[in-house]
Amino acid sequence: MANSSLTSSLNRYQPYAISAFRIVVGLLFACHGAASLFGLLGVPDNATVDAGTWPGWYAAVIQLVGGTLVMLGLWTRSAAFVSSGSMAYAYFKVHQPEGLFPMENSGEASAMFCWAFLLLVFTGPGALALDKVFTRGAGDTRRDGDPAAEKGRARATATA
């Protein structure tokens, strides 16, 4: 009985935990982009990537823009999909040739970001996202991953 109560409580806060996860992952990803593009956050200016260089500059732009969009919860699924793909590319093109496993090839960050963003593609932004502000104004009151909202939709569908 106690396990059921704990599960119920955790499920109630799941959309907020997803939002916190999204915000932290987006912020960390945007910081990588800002560091590569502008030499911020302790990265020396001579370590920045030159504008237009392949693939570094494009990866940094995806990191900054994608990370910011994910952090804010704007176009979360699309931004997370592009960001996940860029990290898969980084892992297999840059890191994997140096060794099979992430511990061998220094690809842990690329692998973790890839999977974290892929998770957000499927979970959505959680309860606290700017997307919610814009979609509510358009008459859409859904809350991705919100069990209470899903139960309400299920009841409405069952009674219709």
Side-chain angles (χ1 to χ4, degrees), residues 78-148:
S78 299
F81 182 76
V82 171
S83 297
S84 178
S86 76
M87 289 295 95
Y89 178 87
Y91 183 79
F92 287 110
K93 194 71 173 172
V94 176
H95 298 285
Q96 199 275 327
E98 301 298 320
L100 179 61
F101 296 106
M103 294 300 292
E104 295 176 298
N105 61 31
S106 301
E108 298 98 334
S110 294
M112 289 297 294
F113 275 123
C114 177
W115 286 103
F117 285 121
L118 189 62
L119 179 65
L120 289 171
V121 169
F122 287 94
T123 63
L128 308 172
L130 287 180
D131 274 341
K132 308 279 185 219
V133 173
F134 298 121
T135 56
R136 280 197 188 130
D140 184 3
T141 58
R142 288 190 314 227
R143 292 172 58 187
D144 289 340
D146 182 350

Side-chain angles (χ1 to χ4, degrees), residues 62-77:
I62 290 171
Q63 291 169 352
L64 181 62
V65 174
T68 301
L69 289 173
V70 167
M71 179 181 63
L72 296 173
L74 282 172
W75 303 294
T76 304
R77 291 177 192 250

